[in-house]
Amino acid sequence: RALVTLAGVAKRYATGTLALRDVSLAIGEGGFLALLGPSGCGKSTLLRMIAGLVAPSQGDISWPGGAAASRDIGFVFQEPTLMPWATALANVALPLELAGMPRREAEARAAAMLARVELKGFEKAYPRALSGGMRMRVSIARALVTRPRLLLMDEPFAALDEITRFRLNNDLLDLWQEERFTVVFVTHSVFESVYLAQRIAVMAARPGRITAELPIGAPYPRG
Ligand code: ADP
Ligand code: ADP
């Protein structure tokens, strides 16, 4: 069943740009959907709309599971937006503390989450002391530590070198297969979309729209 449904969604920015036109899409619960398309086709706009950060100018976005589900979102951006003055552990614990969890418990969960992204031993490191790939791992841990049902990723690995990117792709697949959260993954890499996703929504620009939806099936068998 669908976690999120978009019906006839359009977005025109105040500048006049028609960023998206007539987008209809069902995001299946537990699935891994890639949004694939060139720069400017509205991928980020679509992702931010699903997150509730941008309002559609036309059409509807609905959450069949109820409004509570719509707040249950983790977001990972290309630039790891970590707090530079806080350790990896404190960065990951923050969403839990903001939700009212006592610090000791939040830090215990954050430490477990850091271990899940292969960062055991780096709890006390500051972001500037970590490599780009490690900072991305901290961002993923921070997005998943609250156990959201939906993980939105906006070209998360585009700035990383190929080997780091490949490792992160594999580790993301492992996490997804173990935890079964829903993923919407924005990329302009054909390889990445085919490797990761169960389903690909192909987009085109001017105006931004979905031109095809391709089922990929089960991801590459692992383990
Ligand atoms: P990318 O292709 O890496 O997504 P963009 O250049 O499309 O980068 O956009 C970077 C940021 O600038 C986005 O967050 C977007 O909201 C903003 N942006 C892009 N185009 C415009 C614009 N025409 N006017 C205002 N903000 C824009
Ligand atoms: P993508 O992520 O595929 O690169 P975006 O969603 O960032 O596409 O942008 C789609 C179109 O909307 C682009 O033409 C971009 O310049 C424009 N755009 C994006 N954000 C804004 C914004 N905040 N204000 C005005 N125009 C924007």
Short mmCIF file of all heavy atoms in Angstrom, two decimals, residues 13 15 17 19 38-46 48 154-155, ligand 2:
data_model
loop_
_atom_site.label_atom_id
_atom_site.label_comp_id
_atom_site.label_asym_id
_atom_site.label_seq_id
_atom_site.Cartn_x
_atom_site.Cartn_y
_atom_site.Cartn_z
N TYR A 13 6.99 28.45 -8.87
CA TYR A 13 7.62 29.31 -7.87
C TYR A 13 7.22 30.77 -8.11
O TYR A 13 6.76 31.13 -9.20
CB TYR A 13 9.15 29.18 -7.93
CG TYR A 13 9.67 27.91 -7.26
CD1 TYR A 13 10.17 26.86 -8.01
CD2 TYR A 13 9.65 27.78 -5.87
CE1 TYR A 13 10.65 25.70 -7.40
CE2 TYR A 13 10.12 26.63 -5.25
CZ TYR A 13 10.62 25.60 -6.01
OH TYR A 13 11.09 24.46 -5.40
N THR A 15 8.96 33.14 -8.72
CA THR A 15 9.71 33.71 -9.84
C THR A 15 9.04 33.43 -11.19
O THR A 15 9.48 33.96 -12.22
CB THR A 15 11.10 33.04 -9.91
OG1 THR A 15 10.92 31.62 -9.90
CG2 THR A 15 11.97 33.44 -8.73
N THR A 17 8.83 30.34 -12.50
CA THR A 17 9.29 29.03 -13.00
C THR A 17 8.28 27.93 -12.68
O THR A 17 7.88 27.77 -11.54
CB THR A 17 10.63 28.64 -12.33
OG1 THR A 17 11.58 29.67 -12.57
CG2 THR A 17 11.16 27.31 -12.87
N ALA A 19 8.18 24.55 -11.96
CA ALA A 19 9.18 23.53 -11.59
C ALA A 19 8.63 22.13 -11.79
O ALA A 19 9.39 21.20 -12.10
CB ALA A 19 9.62 23.73 -10.15
N PRO A 38 17.69 14.92 -15.15
CA PRO A 38 18.75 15.91 -15.26
C PRO A 38 18.54 17.06 -14.28
O PRO A 38 17.47 17.21 -13.70
CB PRO A 38 18.60 16.40 -16.71
CG PRO A 38 17.15 16.22 -17.02
CD PRO A 38 16.73 14.98 -16.27
N SER A 39 19.56 17.88 -14.14
CA SER A 39 19.49 19.05 -13.29
C SER A 39 18.32 19.94 -13.76
O SER A 39 18.11 20.10 -14.95
CB SER A 39 20.80 19.82 -13.41
OG SER A 39 21.08 20.46 -12.22
N GLY A 40 17.56 20.42 -12.81
CA GLY A 40 16.49 21.36 -13.14
C GLY A 40 15.15 20.71 -13.46
O GLY A 40 14.19 21.41 -13.80
N CYS A 41 15.03 19.38 -13.35
CA CYS A 41 13.76 18.73 -13.69
C CYS A 41 12.79 18.70 -12.51
O CYS A 41 11.69 18.17 -12.64
CB CYS A 41 14.00 17.31 -14.22
SG CYS A 41 14.56 16.16 -12.97
N GLY A 42 13.21 19.27 -11.39
CA GLY A 42 12.27 19.39 -10.28
C GLY A 42 12.39 18.30 -9.23
O GLY A 42 11.51 18.17 -8.38
N LYS A 43 13.50 17.56 -9.24
CA LYS A 43 13.67 16.47 -8.28
C LYS A 43 13.67 16.99 -6.83
O LYS A 43 12.97 16.45 -5.98
CB LYS A 43 14.98 15.71 -8.55
CG LYS A 43 15.11 15.14 -9.95
CD LYS A 43 16.39 14.32 -10.12
CE LYS A 43 17.70 15.09 -9.98
NZ LYS A 43 17.89 16.17 -10.97
N SER A 44 14.46 18.04 -6.61
CA SER A 44 14.54 18.58 -5.24
C SER A 44 13.21 19.17 -4.82
O SER A 44 12.79 19.03 -3.67
CB SER A 44 15.62 19.66 -5.15
OG SER A 44 16.86 19.12 -5.47
N THR A 45 12.56 19.84 -5.76
CA THR A 45 11.24 20.42 -5.46
C THR A 45 10.27 19.32 -5.05
O THR A 45 9.54 19.46 -4.05
CB THR A 45 10.71 21.18 -6.69
OG1 THR A 45 11.62 22.23 -7.01
CG2 THR A 45 9.33 21.76 -6.42
N LEU A 46 10.28 18.23 -5.79
CA LEU A 46 9.37 17.12 -5.49
C LEU A 46 9.67 16.53 -4.11
O LEU A 46 8.76 16.27 -3.31
CB LEU A 46 9.51 16.06 -6.59
CG LEU A 46 8.55 14.88 -6.58
CD1 LEU A 46 7.11 15.36 -6.49
CD2 LEU A 46 8.74 14.05 -7.85
N ARG A 48 11.18 18.02 -1.57
CA ARG A 48 10.82 18.97 -0.51
C ARG A 48 9.31 19.07 -0.33
O ARG A 48 8.82 19.35 0.75
CB ARG A 48 11.44 20.34 -0.80
CG ARG A 48 12.93 20.37 -0.45
CD ARG A 48 13.57 21.68 -0.76
NE ARG A 48 13.50 21.94 -2.19
CZ ARG A 48 13.99 23.01 -2.78
NH1 ARG A 48 14.57 23.95 -2.07
NH2 ARG A 48 13.88 23.16 -4.08
N ASP A 154 18.46 13.56 -1.07
CA ASP A 154 18.58 14.46 -2.22
C ASP A 154 20.01 14.44 -2.76
O ASP A 154 20.88 15.14 -2.25
CB ASP A 154 18.18 15.88 -1.83
CG ASP A 154 17.95 16.76 -3.06
OD1 ASP A 154 18.24 16.31 -4.18
OD2 ASP A 154 17.48 17.90 -2.88
N GLU A 155 20.26 13.63 -3.76
CA GLU A 155 21.59 13.43 -4.33
C GLU A 155 22.65 13.30 -3.24
O GLU A 155 23.65 14.02 -3.25
CB GLU A 155 21.95 14.59 -5.28
CG GLU A 155 21.09 14.57 -6.53
CD GLU A 155 21.55 15.61 -7.55
OE1 GLU A 155 22.77 15.73 -7.74
OE2 GLU A 155 20.68 16.25 -8.15
P1 ADP B 2 16.53 19.51 -9.63
O1 ADP B 2 16.60 19.10 -8.20
O2 ADP B 2 16.03 18.41 -10.52
O3 ADP B 2 17.81 20.10 -10.12
P2 ADP B 2 14.92 21.72 -8.69
O4 ADP B 2 13.70 21.21 -8.03
O5 ADP B 2 16.05 22.19 -7.85
O6 ADP B 2 15.40 20.65 -9.76
O7 ADP B 2 14.51 22.92 -9.65
C1 ADP B 2 13.48 22.82 -10.64
C2 ADP B 2 13.30 24.19 -11.27
O8 ADP B 2 12.76 25.08 -10.29
C3 ADP B 2 14.59 24.82 -11.75
O9 ADP B 2 14.30 25.56 -12.91
C4 ADP B 2 15.01 25.71 -10.61
O10 ADP B 2 15.77 26.80 -11.05
C5 ADP B 2 13.66 26.18 -10.07
N1 ADP B 2 13.68 26.44 -8.61
C6 ADP B 2 14.07 25.58 -7.63
N2 ADP B 2 13.93 26.14 -6.42
C7 ADP B 2 13.45 27.37 -6.63
C8 ADP B 2 13.09 28.43 -5.76
N3 ADP B 2 13.21 28.34 -4.44
N4 ADP B 2 12.63 29.56 -6.34
C9 ADP B 2 12.49 29.64 -7.66
N5 ADP B 2 12.81 28.69 -8.53
C10 ADP B 2 13.29 27.55 -8.03
#
